[in-house]
Short mmCIF file of all heavy atoms in Angstrom, two decimals:
data_model
loop_
_atom_site.label_atom_id
_atom_site.label_comp_id
_atom_site.label_asym_id
_atom_site.label_seq_id
_atom_site.Cartn_x
_atom_site.Cartn_y
_atom_site.Cartn_z
N PHE Y 46 -2.02 -1.86 7.34
CA PHE Y 46 -1.73 -1.05 6.17
C PHE Y 46 -0.71 -1.71 5.24
O PHE Y 46 -0.76 -1.51 4.02
CB PHE Y 46 -1.23 0.33 6.59
CG PHE Y 46 -2.30 1.19 7.22
CD1 PHE Y 46 -2.13 1.69 8.50
CD2 PHE Y 46 -3.46 1.49 6.54
CE1 PHE Y 46 -3.10 2.50 9.08
CE2 PHE Y 46 -4.44 2.29 7.10
CZ PHE Y 46 -4.26 2.79 8.38
N GLN Y 47 0.25 -2.42 5.78
CA GLN Y 47 1.30 -3.05 4.97
C GLN Y 47 1.91 -2.05 3.99
O GLN Y 47 1.90 -2.24 2.78
CB GLN Y 47 0.73 -4.26 4.23
CG GLN Y 47 0.24 -5.37 5.15
CD GLN Y 47 -0.29 -6.58 4.41
OE1 GLN Y 47 -0.69 -6.49 3.26
NE2 GLN Y 47 -0.31 -7.73 5.07
N LEU Y 48 2.44 -0.97 4.54
CA LEU Y 48 2.98 0.11 3.72
C LEU Y 48 4.25 -0.34 3.00
O LEU Y 48 5.12 -0.96 3.59
CB LEU Y 48 3.28 1.32 4.59
CG LEU Y 48 2.08 1.94 5.32
CD1 LEU Y 48 2.55 3.07 6.23
CD2 LEU Y 48 1.04 2.45 4.33
N LYS Y 49 4.32 0.00 1.72
CA LYS Y 49 5.48 -0.33 0.91
C LYS Y 49 6.18 0.93 0.39
O LYS Y 49 7.40 0.97 0.29
CB LYS Y 49 5.08 -1.21 -0.28
CG LYS Y 49 4.43 -2.53 0.10
CD LYS Y 49 5.36 -3.42 0.89
CE LYS Y 49 4.69 -4.76 1.20
NZ LYS Y 49 5.57 -5.62 2.04
N LYS Y 50 5.37 1.93 0.05
CA LYS Y 50 5.93 3.13 -0.56
C LYS Y 50 5.26 4.37 0.05
O LYS Y 50 4.16 4.30 0.60
CB LYS Y 50 5.71 3.12 -2.08
CG LYS Y 50 6.35 1.94 -2.79
CD LYS Y 50 6.01 1.96 -4.27
CE LYS Y 50 6.63 0.75 -4.98
NZ LYS Y 50 6.29 0.74 -6.42
N CYS Y 51 5.95 5.49 -0.09
CA CYS Y 51 5.42 6.76 0.41
C CYS Y 51 5.80 7.86 -0.56
O CYS Y 51 6.92 7.88 -1.10
CB CYS Y 51 5.98 7.05 1.81
SG CYS Y 51 5.59 8.71 2.44
N ARG Y 52 4.87 8.76 -0.80
CA ARG Y 52 5.20 9.98 -1.53
C ARG Y 52 4.68 11.15 -0.71
O ARG Y 52 3.61 11.06 -0.08
CB ARG Y 52 4.63 9.98 -2.94
CG ARG Y 52 3.12 9.79 -3.05
CD ARG Y 52 2.73 9.63 -4.51
NE ARG Y 52 1.36 9.23 -4.68
CZ ARG Y 52 0.90 8.54 -5.74
NH1 ARG Y 52 1.71 8.21 -6.71
NH2 ARG Y 52 -0.37 8.20 -5.82
N LEU Y 53 5.43 12.24 -0.73
CA LEU Y 53 5.02 13.36 0.12
C LEU Y 53 5.37 14.69 -0.51
O LEU Y 53 6.26 14.81 -1.35
CB LEU Y 53 5.66 13.23 1.52
CG LEU Y 53 7.17 13.35 1.68
CD1 LEU Y 53 7.66 14.80 1.71
CD2 LEU Y 53 7.61 12.66 2.97
N VAL Y 54 4.63 15.69 -0.06
CA VAL Y 54 4.95 17.08 -0.35
C VAL Y 54 5.08 17.78 0.99
O VAL Y 54 4.31 17.54 1.91
CB VAL Y 54 3.87 17.75 -1.23
CG1 VAL Y 54 2.49 17.64 -0.61
CG2 VAL Y 54 4.22 19.22 -1.47
N SER Y 55 6.09 18.63 1.11
CA SER Y 55 6.33 19.31 2.38
C SER Y 55 6.70 20.77 2.15
O SER Y 55 7.49 21.09 1.26
CB SER Y 55 7.46 18.61 3.14
OG SER Y 55 7.77 19.31 4.33
N VAL Y 56 6.11 21.65 2.96
CA VAL Y 56 6.50 23.06 2.97
C VAL Y 56 7.28 23.37 4.25
O VAL Y 56 7.51 24.53 4.57
CB VAL Y 56 5.27 23.99 2.83
CG1 VAL Y 56 4.60 23.77 1.50
CG2 VAL Y 56 4.28 23.79 3.97
N ARG Y 57 7.68 22.33 4.97
CA ARG Y 57 8.48 22.48 6.17
C ARG Y 57 9.95 22.71 5.80
O ARG Y 57 10.32 22.64 4.62
CB ARG Y 57 8.36 21.23 7.04
CG ARG Y 57 6.95 20.95 7.52
CD ARG Y 57 6.90 19.63 8.24
NE ARG Y 57 5.70 19.50 9.06
CZ ARG Y 57 5.54 18.61 10.02
NH1 ARG Y 57 6.51 17.75 10.27
NH2 ARG Y 57 4.44 18.57 10.73
N THR Y 58 10.77 22.96 6.81
CA THR Y 58 12.20 23.11 6.55
C THR Y 58 12.78 21.78 6.09
O THR Y 58 12.24 20.71 6.41
CB THR Y 58 12.95 23.57 7.81
OG1 THR Y 58 12.89 22.53 8.80
CG2 THR Y 58 12.34 24.85 8.37
N PRO Y 59 13.89 21.80 5.37
CA PRO Y 59 14.53 20.54 4.95
C PRO Y 59 14.85 19.65 6.14
O PRO Y 59 14.71 18.42 6.06
CB PRO Y 59 15.79 21.01 4.23
CG PRO Y 59 15.45 22.37 3.72
CD PRO Y 59 14.56 22.98 4.76
N GLU Y 60 15.27 20.25 7.25
CA GLU Y 60 15.62 19.46 8.42
C GLU Y 60 14.40 18.75 9.00
O GLU Y 60 14.46 17.57 9.38
CB GLU Y 60 16.26 20.35 9.49
CG GLU Y 60 17.61 20.95 9.12
CD GLU Y 60 17.50 22.11 8.15
OE1 GLU Y 60 16.40 22.68 8.01
OE2 GLU Y 60 18.53 22.45 7.52
N GLU Y 61 13.28 19.46 9.08
CA GLU Y 61 12.05 18.85 9.59
C GLU Y 61 11.57 17.73 8.68
O GLU Y 61 11.12 16.67 9.15
CB GLU Y 61 10.96 19.92 9.73
CG GLU Y 61 11.20 20.93 10.84
CD GLU Y 61 10.21 22.06 10.82
OE1 GLU Y 61 9.83 22.51 9.72
OE2 GLU Y 61 9.81 22.51 11.91
N THR Y 62 11.66 17.96 7.37
CA THR Y 62 11.22 16.94 6.42
C THR Y 62 12.14 15.72 6.47
O THR Y 62 11.67 14.57 6.44
CB THR Y 62 11.18 17.51 5.00
OG1 THR Y 62 10.37 18.70 4.98
CG2 THR Y 62 10.59 16.51 4.03
N ASP Y 63 13.45 15.96 6.56
CA ASP Y 63 14.40 14.85 6.67
C ASP Y 63 14.10 14.00 7.90
O ASP Y 63 14.18 12.76 7.86
CB ASP Y 63 15.83 15.37 6.74
CG ASP Y 63 16.32 15.93 5.42
OD1 ASP Y 63 15.70 15.65 4.38
OD2 ASP Y 63 17.34 16.66 5.43
N SER Y 64 13.78 14.67 9.02
CA SER Y 64 13.49 13.95 10.26
C SER Y 64 12.25 13.07 10.10
O SER Y 64 12.24 11.92 10.55
CB SER Y 64 13.28 14.95 11.40
OG SER Y 64 12.90 14.29 12.59
N LEU Y 65 11.22 13.60 9.44
CA LEU Y 65 10.01 12.82 9.21
C LEU Y 65 10.28 11.62 8.31
O LEU Y 65 9.83 10.50 8.59
CB LEU Y 65 8.92 13.71 8.59
CG LEU Y 65 7.64 13.01 8.16
CD1 LEU Y 65 6.97 12.32 9.34
CD2 LEU Y 65 6.68 14.01 7.50
N VAL Y 66 11.03 11.84 7.25
CA VAL Y 66 11.35 10.75 6.33
C VAL Y 66 12.13 9.66 7.05
O VAL Y 66 11.83 8.45 6.90
CB VAL Y 66 12.15 11.27 5.12
CG1 VAL Y 66 12.71 10.11 4.30
CG2 VAL Y 66 11.28 12.16 4.24
N ALA Y 67 13.10 10.05 7.85
CA ALA Y 67 13.88 9.06 8.59
C ALA Y 67 12.99 8.26 9.54
O ALA Y 67 13.17 7.04 9.69
CB ALA Y 67 14.99 9.76 9.38
N MET Y 68 12.03 8.91 10.17
CA MET Y 68 11.11 8.24 11.07
C MET Y 68 10.28 7.21 10.33
O MET Y 68 10.09 6.07 10.80
CB MET Y 68 10.19 9.26 11.75
CG MET Y 68 9.23 8.67 12.78
SD MET Y 68 7.91 9.82 13.24
CE MET Y 68 6.83 9.68 11.80
N LEU Y 69 9.80 7.56 9.15
CA LEU Y 69 8.97 6.65 8.36
C LEU Y 69 9.77 5.44 7.87
O LEU Y 69 9.29 4.31 7.89
CB LEU Y 69 8.38 7.40 7.16
CG LEU Y 69 7.34 8.48 7.49
CD1 LEU Y 69 7.03 9.30 6.24
CD2 LEU Y 69 6.08 7.87 8.05
N VAL Y 70 10.99 5.71 7.42
CA VAL Y 70 11.84 4.61 6.94
C VAL Y 70 12.15 3.66 8.08
O VAL Y 70 12.11 2.43 7.93
CB VAL Y 70 13.13 5.17 6.32
CG1 VAL Y 70 14.10 4.04 6.00
CG2 VAL Y 70 12.82 5.96 5.05
N ASN Y 71 12.46 4.23 9.25
CA ASN Y 71 12.81 3.41 10.40
C ASN Y 71 11.61 2.59 10.90
O ASN Y 71 11.74 1.43 11.28
CB ASN Y 71 13.33 4.30 11.53
CG ASN Y 71 13.74 3.50 12.76
OD1 ASN Y 71 14.65 2.68 12.70
ND2 ASN Y 71 13.07 3.73 13.87
N ALA Y 72 10.41 3.22 10.88
CA ALA Y 72 9.22 2.56 11.43
C ALA Y 72 8.63 1.53 10.48
O ALA Y 72 8.13 0.49 10.91
CB ALA Y 72 8.17 3.61 11.80
N PHE Y 73 8.66 1.82 9.17
CA PHE Y 73 7.92 0.97 8.23
C PHE Y 73 8.78 0.40 7.10
O PHE Y 73 8.30 -0.42 6.32
CB PHE Y 73 6.77 1.76 7.62
CG PHE Y 73 5.84 2.37 8.62
CD1 PHE Y 73 5.80 3.75 8.81
CD2 PHE Y 73 5.02 1.57 9.42
CE1 PHE Y 73 4.95 4.31 9.75
CE2 PHE Y 73 4.18 2.13 10.36
CZ PHE Y 73 4.14 3.51 10.53
N GLY Y 74 10.02 0.87 6.98
CA GLY Y 74 10.87 0.37 5.91
C GLY Y 74 10.40 0.76 4.52
O GLY Y 74 10.70 0.08 3.54
N VAL Y 75 9.67 1.87 4.43
CA VAL Y 75 9.12 2.30 3.14
C VAL Y 75 10.17 3.05 2.33
O VAL Y 75 11.10 3.64 2.87
CB VAL Y 75 7.89 3.21 3.33
CG1 VAL Y 75 6.74 2.44 3.93
CG2 VAL Y 75 8.23 4.42 4.19
N SER Y 76 10.00 3.03 1.01
CA SER Y 76 10.76 3.93 0.15
C SER Y 76 9.97 5.22 0.03
O SER Y 76 8.75 5.19 -0.11
CB SER Y 76 10.97 3.30 -1.23
OG SER Y 76 9.73 3.05 -1.86
N VAL Y 77 10.66 6.36 0.10
CA VAL Y 77 9.98 7.66 0.15
C VAL Y 77 10.41 8.51 -1.04
O VAL Y 77 11.61 8.67 -1.31
CB VAL Y 77 10.31 8.40 1.46
CG1 VAL Y 77 9.58 9.75 1.49
CG2 VAL Y 77 9.92 7.57 2.67
N VAL Y 78 9.43 9.05 -1.75
CA VAL Y 78 9.68 9.97 -2.86
C VAL Y 78 9.08 11.32 -2.49
O VAL Y 78 7.94 11.40 -2.04
CB VAL Y 78 9.03 9.45 -4.17
CG1 VAL Y 78 9.29 10.43 -5.30
CG2 VAL Y 78 9.56 8.07 -4.51
N ARG Y 79 9.85 12.39 -2.70
CA ARG Y 79 9.39 13.73 -2.36
C ARG Y 79 9.14 14.56 -3.62
O ARG Y 79 9.92 14.48 -4.59
CB ARG Y 79 10.42 14.47 -1.51
CG ARG Y 79 10.97 13.71 -0.33
CD ARG Y 79 11.89 14.61 0.48
NE ARG Y 79 12.87 13.85 1.23
CZ ARG Y 79 13.70 14.38 2.11
NH1 ARG Y 79 13.68 15.69 2.32
NH2 ARG Y 79 14.56 13.63 2.77
N ALA Y 80 8.09 15.35 -3.58
CA ALA Y 80 7.85 16.30 -4.67
C ALA Y 80 8.89 17.41 -4.61
O ALA Y 80 9.29 17.85 -3.52
CB ALA Y 80 6.45 16.89 -4.55
N ILE Y 81 9.36 17.86 -5.77
CA ILE Y 81 10.36 18.93 -5.84
C ILE Y 81 9.86 20.02 -6.79
O ILE Y 81 9.02 19.76 -7.65
CB ILE Y 81 11.72 18.39 -6.30
CG1 ILE Y 81 11.60 17.77 -7.71
CG2 ILE Y 81 12.28 17.39 -5.30
CD1 ILE Y 81 12.95 17.37 -8.32
N PRO Y 82 10.38 21.23 -6.64
CA PRO Y 82 9.95 22.31 -7.53
C PRO Y 82 10.38 22.04 -8.97
O PRO Y 82 11.45 21.48 -9.22
CB PRO Y 82 10.67 23.55 -6.97
CG PRO Y 82 11.12 23.17 -5.60
CD PRO Y 82 11.34 21.69 -5.63
N THR Y 83 9.56 22.44 -9.92
CA THR Y 83 9.91 22.32 -11.33
C THR Y 83 9.40 23.55 -12.07
O THR Y 83 8.44 24.19 -11.65
CB THR Y 83 9.29 21.07 -11.98
OG1 THR Y 83 7.86 21.09 -11.79
CG2 THR Y 83 9.85 19.79 -11.38
N ARG Y 84 10.05 23.86 -13.16
CA ARG Y 84 9.62 25.00 -13.98
C ARG Y 84 8.35 24.67 -14.77
O ARG Y 84 7.49 25.52 -14.96
CB ARG Y 84 10.75 25.39 -14.94
CG ARG Y 84 10.37 26.40 -16.01
CD ARG Y 84 10.00 27.76 -15.42
NE ARG Y 84 11.16 28.45 -14.89
CZ ARG Y 84 11.10 29.59 -14.23
NH1 ARG Y 84 9.92 30.13 -14.00
NH2 ARG Y 84 12.19 30.18 -13.76
N GLU Y 85 8.24 23.41 -15.20
CA GLU Y 85 7.09 23.01 -16.02
C GLU Y 85 6.78 21.54 -15.77
O GLU Y 85 7.70 20.73 -15.59
CB GLU Y 85 7.39 23.25 -17.49
CG GLU Y 85 6.22 22.96 -18.43
CD GLU Y 85 6.49 23.42 -19.85
OE1 GLU Y 85 7.50 24.13 -20.07
OE2 GLU Y 85 5.69 23.06 -20.74
N MET Y 86 5.50 21.20 -15.75
CA MET Y 86 5.09 19.82 -15.57
C MET Y 86 3.67 19.64 -16.06
O MET Y 86 2.81 20.48 -15.82
CB MET Y 86 5.19 19.39 -14.10
CG MET Y 86 4.74 17.95 -13.83
SD MET Y 86 5.00 17.45 -12.12
CE MET Y 86 6.77 17.26 -12.13
N ALA Y 87 3.41 18.53 -16.73
CA ALA Y 87 2.07 18.15 -17.17
C ALA Y 87 1.35 19.28 -17.90
O ALA Y 87 0.14 19.48 -17.73
CB ALA Y 87 1.25 17.68 -15.97
N GLY Y 88 2.12 20.03 -18.70
CA GLY Y 88 1.52 21.11 -19.49
C GLY Y 88 1.33 22.41 -18.76
O GLY Y 88 0.83 23.38 -19.33
N VAL Y 89 1.75 22.49 -17.48
CA VAL Y 89 1.62 23.72 -16.70
C VAL Y 89 2.99 24.35 -16.52
O VAL Y 89 3.95 23.67 -16.16
CB VAL Y 89 0.99 23.44 -15.31
CG1 VAL Y 89 0.85 24.74 -14.52
CG2 VAL Y 89 -0.36 22.77 -15.47
N ARG Y 90 3.08 25.67 -16.78
CA ARG Y 90 4.33 26.39 -16.62
C ARG Y 90 4.25 27.27 -15.37
O ARG Y 90 3.35 28.11 -15.24
CB ARG Y 90 4.59 27.26 -17.86
CG ARG Y 90 4.85 26.43 -19.11
CD ARG Y 90 5.02 27.27 -20.36
NE ARG Y 90 3.82 28.03 -20.69
CZ ARG Y 90 2.74 27.50 -21.26
NH1 ARG Y 90 2.69 26.20 -21.54
NH2 ARG Y 90 1.70 28.26 -21.54
N ASN Y 91 5.17 27.05 -14.48
CA ASN Y 91 5.23 27.80 -13.22
C ASN Y 91 5.39 29.28 -13.51
O ASN Y 91 6.30 29.68 -14.23
CB ASN Y 91 6.42 27.27 -12.39
CG ASN Y 91 6.41 27.75 -10.97
OD1 ASN Y 91 6.21 28.92 -10.70
ND2 ASN Y 91 6.66 26.84 -10.04
N GLY Y 92 4.52 30.09 -12.93
CA GLY Y 92 4.50 31.51 -13.23
C GLY Y 92 5.38 32.38 -12.35
O GLY Y 92 5.51 33.58 -12.61
N TYR Y 93 5.99 31.81 -11.33
CA TYR Y 93 6.84 32.60 -10.44
C TYR Y 93 8.16 32.97 -11.14
O TYR Y 93 8.71 32.16 -11.89
CB TYR Y 93 7.14 31.83 -9.17
CG TYR Y 93 6.28 32.23 -7.98
CD1 TYR Y 93 4.98 32.67 -8.16
CD2 TYR Y 93 6.78 32.15 -6.68
CE1 TYR Y 93 4.19 33.02 -7.07
CE2 TYR Y 93 6.01 32.51 -5.59
CZ TYR Y 93 4.70 32.94 -5.78
OH TYR Y 93 3.93 33.29 -4.72
N GLU Y 94 8.67 34.18 -10.88
CA GLU Y 94 9.95 34.58 -11.44
C GLU Y 94 11.04 33.61 -10.99
O GLU Y 94 11.92 33.24 -11.78
CB GLU Y 94 10.27 36.01 -11.01
CG GLU Y 94 9.32 37.04 -11.59
CD GLU Y 94 9.63 38.45 -11.13
OE1 GLU Y 94 10.60 38.63 -10.35
OE2 GLU Y 94 8.91 39.38 -11.54
N ASP Y 95 11.03 33.24 -9.72
CA ASP Y 95 11.89 32.19 -9.21
C ASP Y 95 11.00 31.00 -8.88
O ASP Y 95 10.36 30.97 -7.82
CB ASP Y 95 12.63 32.68 -7.95
CG ASP Y 95 13.56 31.62 -7.35
OD1 ASP Y 95 13.58 30.49 -7.86
OD2 ASP Y 95 14.25 31.94 -6.36
N PHE Y 96 10.94 30.04 -9.78
CA PHE Y 96 9.93 28.98 -9.65
C PHE Y 96 10.07 28.18 -8.36
O PHE Y 96 9.11 27.61 -7.86
CB PHE Y 96 9.97 28.05 -10.87
CG PHE Y 96 11.16 27.13 -10.93
CD1 PHE Y 96 11.10 25.86 -10.38
CD2 PHE Y 96 12.33 27.52 -11.57
CE1 PHE Y 96 12.18 25.00 -10.45
CE2 PHE Y 96 13.42 26.67 -11.64
CZ PHE Y 96 13.35 25.40 -11.07
N GLU Y 97 11.28 28.13 -7.80
CA GLU Y 97 11.49 27.36 -6.57
C GLU Y 97 10.86 28.03 -5.35
O GLU Y 97 10.76 27.41 -4.29
CB GLU Y 97 12.99 27.14 -6.34
CG GLU Y 97 13.63 26.24 -7.39
CD GLU Y 97 15.09 25.96 -7.10
OE1 GLU Y 97 15.71 26.76 -6.37
OE2 GLU Y 97 15.60 24.94 -7.58
N ARG Y 98 10.45 29.28 -5.49
CA ARG Y 98 9.86 30.00 -4.36
C ARG Y 98 8.35 29.79 -4.27
O ARG Y 98 7.74 30.18 -3.27
CB ARG Y 98 10.14 31.51 -4.48
CG ARG Y 98 11.62 31.87 -4.45
CD ARG Y 98 12.22 31.61 -3.09
NE ARG Y 98 11.65 32.48 -2.06
CZ ARG Y 98 11.89 32.37 -0.76
NH1 ARG Y 98 12.69 31.42 -0.33
NH2 ARG Y 98 11.34 33.20 0.10
N LEU Y 99 7.75 29.22 -5.28
CA LEU Y 99 6.32 28.90 -5.20
C LEU Y 99 6.14 27.70 -4.29
O LEU Y 99 6.77 26.66 -4.47
CB LEU Y 99 5.77 28.59 -6.59
CG LEU Y 99 4.29 28.16 -6.66
CD1 LEU Y 99 3.38 29.31 -6.23
CD2 LEU Y 99 3.93 27.69 -8.06
N GLY Y 100 5.28 27.84 -3.28
CA GLY Y 100 5.06 26.75 -2.34
C GLY Y 100 4.68 25.47 -3.05
O GLY Y 100 3.83 25.47 -3.96
N LEU Y 101 5.30 24.37 -2.65
CA LEU Y 101 5.05 23.10 -3.34
C LEU Y 101 3.61 22.66 -3.23
O LEU Y 101 3.07 22.04 -4.16
CB LEU Y 101 5.98 22.02 -2.76
CG LEU Y 101 7.35 21.89 -3.43
CD1 LEU Y 101 8.21 20.91 -2.65
CD2 LEU Y 101 7.21 21.45 -4.87
N ASP Y 102 2.96 22.95 -2.11
CA ASP Y 102 1.55 22.57 -1.99
C ASP Y 102 0.70 23.34 -2.99
O ASP Y 102 -0.22 22.79 -3.60
CB ASP Y 102 1.04 22.76 -0.56
CG ASP Y 102 1.33 24.15 0.00
OD1 ASP Y 102 2.10 24.93 -0.62
OD2 ASP Y 102 0.80 24.46 1.08
N ARG Y 103 1.01 24.63 -3.18
CA ARG Y 103 0.29 25.41 -4.19
C ARG Y 103 0.54 24.86 -5.59
O ARG Y 103 -0.38 24.72 -6.40
CB ARG Y 103 0.73 26.87 -4.14
CG ARG Y 103 0.18 27.67 -2.98
CD ARG Y 103 0.73 29.08 -2.97
NE ARG Y 103 0.34 29.85 -4.15
CZ ARG Y 103 0.92 31.00 -4.51
NH1 ARG Y 103 1.93 31.49 -3.81
NH2 ARG Y 103 0.50 31.64 -5.57
N TRP Y 104 1.80 24.55 -5.88
CA TRP Y 104 2.16 24.04 -7.20
C TRP Y 104 1.41 22.76 -7.51
O TRP Y 104 0.84 22.59 -8.60
CB TRP Y 104 3.67 23.83 -7.25
CG TRP Y 104 4.20 23.14 -8.48
CD1 TRP Y 104 4.91 21.99 -8.53
CD2 TRP Y 104 4.09 23.58 -9.85
NE1 TRP Y 104 5.25 21.66 -9.82
CE2 TRP Y 104 4.76 22.63 -10.66
CE3 TRP Y 104 3.50 24.67 -10.47
CZ2 TRP Y 104 4.85 22.74 -12.05
CZ3 TRP Y 104 3.58 24.79 -11.86
CH2 TRP Y 104 4.25 23.84 -12.63
N LEU Y 105 1.36 21.85 -6.55
CA LEU Y 105 0.67 20.58 -6.79
C LEU Y 105 -0.84 20.79 -6.91
O LEU Y 105 -1.50 20.12 -7.71
CB LEU Y 105 0.98 19.59 -5.67
CG LEU Y 105 2.44 19.16 -5.56
CD1 LEU Y 105 2.59 18.10 -4.47
CD2 LEU Y 105 2.97 18.63 -6.88
N ALA Y 106 -1.40 21.70 -6.12
CA ALA Y 106 -2.84 21.96 -6.20
C ALA Y 106 -3.22 22.53 -7.56
O ALA Y 106 -4.24 22.14 -8.16
CB ALA Y 106 -3.28 22.90 -5.09
N LEU Y 107 -2.42 23.45 -8.09
CA LEU Y 107 -2.77 24.01 -9.40
C LEU Y 107 -2.50 23.01 -10.52
O LEU Y 107 -3.21 23.01 -11.55
CB LEU Y 107 -2.09 25.36 -9.63
CG LEU Y 107 -0.58 25.44 -9.78
CD1 LEU Y 107 -0.16 25.29 -11.22
CD2 LEU Y 107 -0.09 26.79 -9.25
N LEU Y 108 -1.50 22.13 -10.35
CA LEU Y 108 -1.32 21.04 -11.30
C LEU Y 108 -2.56 20.15 -11.34
O LEU Y 108 -3.06 19.79 -12.41
CB LEU Y 108 -0.11 20.18 -10.90
CG LEU Y 108 1.29 20.59 -11.30
CD1 LEU Y 108 2.29 19.55 -10.80
CD2 LEU Y 108 1.42 20.76 -12.80
N GLY Y 109 -3.04 19.79 -10.14
CA GLY Y 109 -4.24 18.96 -10.06
C GLY Y 109 -5.45 19.65 -10.63
O GLY Y 109 -6.26 19.02 -11.33
N GLY Y 110 -5.60 20.94 -10.34
CA GLY Y 110 -6.74 21.68 -10.86
C GLY Y 110 -6.74 21.75 -12.38
O GLY Y 110 -7.77 21.52 -13.03
N TYR Y 111 -5.59 22.05 -12.95
CA TYR Y 111 -5.51 22.13 -14.41
C TYR Y 111 -5.79 20.78 -15.05
O TYR Y 111 -6.46 20.69 -16.08
CB TYR Y 111 -4.12 22.63 -14.82
CG TYR Y 111 -3.95 22.83 -16.31
CD1 TYR Y 111 -4.55 23.91 -16.95
CD2 TYR Y 111 -3.21 21.94 -17.07
CE1 TYR Y 111 -4.39 24.11 -18.32
CE2 TYR Y 111 -3.04 22.12 -18.44
CZ TYR Y 111 -3.65 23.20 -19.06
OH TYR Y 111 -3.50 23.38 -20.42
N HIS Y 112 -5.29 19.72 -14.42
CA HIS Y 112 -5.53 18.37 -14.94
C HIS Y 112 -7.02 18.04 -14.93
O HIS Y 112 -7.55 17.51 -15.91
CB HIS Y 112 -4.76 17.36 -14.08
CG HIS Y 112 -5.09 15.93 -14.36
ND1 HIS Y 112 -4.70 15.28 -15.52
CD2 HIS Y 112 -5.79 15.01 -13.63
CE1 HIS Y 112 -5.14 14.04 -15.49
NE2 HIS Y 112 -5.80 13.85 -14.36
N LEU Y 113 -7.70 18.36 -13.83
CA LEU Y 113 -9.13 18.03 -13.73
C LEU Y 113 -9.99 18.94 -14.60
O LEU Y 113 -11.01 18.51 -15.14
CB LEU Y 113 -9.58 18.15 -12.27
CG LEU Y 113 -8.96 17.15 -11.28
CD1 LEU Y 113 -9.45 17.43 -9.86
CD2 LEU Y 113 -9.29 15.71 -11.67
N ALA Y 114 -9.58 20.19 -14.74
CA ALA Y 114 -10.37 21.14 -15.54
C ALA Y 114 -10.14 20.98 -17.03
O ALA Y 114 -11.01 21.28 -17.84
CB ALA Y 114 -10.03 22.57 -15.12
N ALA Y 115 -8.95 20.51 -17.40
CA ALA Y 115 -8.55 20.43 -18.82
C ALA Y 115 -8.72 21.79 -19.48
O ALA Y 115 -9.13 21.90 -20.63
CB ALA Y 115 -9.35 19.37 -19.55
N GLY Y 116 -8.40 22.84 -18.72
CA GLY Y 116 -8.53 24.19 -19.24
C GLY Y 116 -8.27 25.19 -18.14
O GLY Y 116 -7.71 24.87 -17.09
#
Side-chain angles (χ1 to χ4, degrees):
F46 290 122
Q47 297 181 338
L48 299 176
K49 300 297 183 183
K50 300 176 181 179
C51 171
R52 57 187 170 207
L53 66 81
V54 55
S55 176
V56 297
R57 298 174 162 197
T58 66
E60 294 76 17
E61 290 172 322
T62 306
D63 288 344
S64 176
L65 174 60
V66 169
M68 183 194 77
L69 293 170
V70 172
N71 182 62
F73 305 110
V75 293
S76 61
V77 181
V78 179
R79 311 185 205 187
I81 60 173
T83 56
R84 170 65 71 186
E85 184 171 350
M86 178 175 287
V89 181
R90 294 176 297 283
N91 192 314
Y93 260 31
E94 294 178 1
D95 180 357
F96 73 91
E97 294 184 337
R98 299 291 295 173
L99 177 65
L101 271 173
D102 52 349
R103 285 177 64 195
W104 173 239
L105 295 184
L107 67 89
L108 276 181
Y111 183 74
H112 171 71
L113 295 177

